[in-house]
Amino acid sequence: MRKVTQQHTKEHNRNLTLKTVFAHESVSRAEISRITKLTRSTVSDIVASLVAEGLVVEVGVGSSRGGKSPILLSLVADARHVIGLDLAHDRFSGAVLNLRGKIRQRVDLPAEGVGGDAALRLVYKVLDKLVRSANRPLLGIGVGTPGLVDTRGGVVVNAVNLSWQNLPLRQLLQDRYDLPVAVINDSQAAAIGEHTFGEGYTPESSLVVINVRNGIGAGIIINGQVFHGVGGGAGEIGHIVVVREGGLPCRCGHTGCLETVASTRAVVERARMMARHVPGSVLAESPDTIGLDSLQRAFANGDPLARQVVLEAGRFLGLAVSVIVATLSIRRILIAGEMTRFGPALLDSVKEGLAQTLFPRLIDETRVEFDRLGHDEIILGASALLLNDYSLLFKGQPAHVKRAS
Ligand SMILES: [Zn+2]
């Protein structure tokens, strides 16, 4: 029993030290000791083992505050690599990343209209290529997928676009690659990516990423932890009813859901539907060919129809977001996904929507911005799930490296 506790303390101290090294570009042993409150000799022992593992390296001499100049330590960013996968687009994208989230290899394969077993085979194809290309020990594979995900069990409960129901994705990938695997909803991955690799966050920050594509989801980080909710369903805001009367039918069976007015698909469909009734619009010339790109061009040129449908979508988004802001008292809202192409005017319309329901004080305190990481944030967030588990750094050289070489 005593031995177990000692082992536990040792790991805890080691993880604290690693966390401090991860959080700094470079840091001295004395600073680590000050930050972690571990004794100097404990820190020295841990650092010696981290250097032996190749995870930490001495990078030079820092400035002295009197006495001997301290030696600075830094993380060896390429000591281990990790794989991140994004299944949320019409391309499956994956990457091999280093410990600082820098992409070293990437693979993109077209996935439009792919579902069921074919989608799974495509996942294998992307991963086979990435695993084969890896030239460092791999910590594991993180997957960001659309749909409802039981992250604890590693099961995709329901992903409509991929035609997956109760797919034990983690188990399947672990069996195939002999690596630790984490599976998470795409919006939650985006939020983790933003929190881990975006700027201006502390480990205890709270934020919400609103991911707008054909569907709409939210990734919620509370005090630095992703909030999954019961059964992993937290952040399913796409089906909040925002149109009370005369709403359009939604794929979920209700009418007037947020997705029917604010998703990219909805915005394009509304523009096509309304084009004939707004004769002054350039889009009225051939309504059937309206897509996001032509809508964006028209929007930039001040086209009345484009502005109407896009800004209305933004206001509806704001309305739904106000529910989250008021409930969780989170002040940092990031809009991600395809609608970001409409720029600051879209943000203003989201704020307008917020203002319809929130207290003025809450509105002033709430920041609504676009995400910073752009299209790689799901890959980054999925991989961060594994990076945050420091124990994986010490698993030794797994079998796949031998297989792949
Ligand atoms: Zn719905």
Side-chain angles (χ1 to χ4, degrees), residues 237-241 248-260:
I237 64 167
H239 303 284
I240 294 178
V241 173
L248 295 168
C250 179
R251 62 191 167 100
C252 74
H254 289 130
T255 57
C257 294
L258 182 63
E259 273 190 20
T260 66

Side-chain angles (χ1 to χ4, degrees), residues 27-90:
V27 64
S28 70
R29 289 175 179 80
E31 277 176 276
I32 295 173
S33 168
R34 188 176 53 77
I35 293 164
T36 60
K37 309 221 168 34
L38 297 171
T39 66
R40 294 285 286 268
S41 71
T42 301
V43 170
S44 284
D45 287 350
I46 293 171
V47 166
S49 74
L50 295 178
V51 169
E53 290 274 353
L55 286 165
V56 168
V57 69
E58 294 183 344
V59 287
V61 181
S63 56
S64 162
R65 291 187 195 156
K68 212 172 125 201
S69 300
I71 295 168
L72 293 177
L73 305 160
S74 187
L75 180 73
V76 180
D78 285 290
R80 308 282 188 274
H81 284 171
V82 59
I83 288 176
L85 208 56
D86 172 1
L87 309 182
H89 296 87
D90 50 13

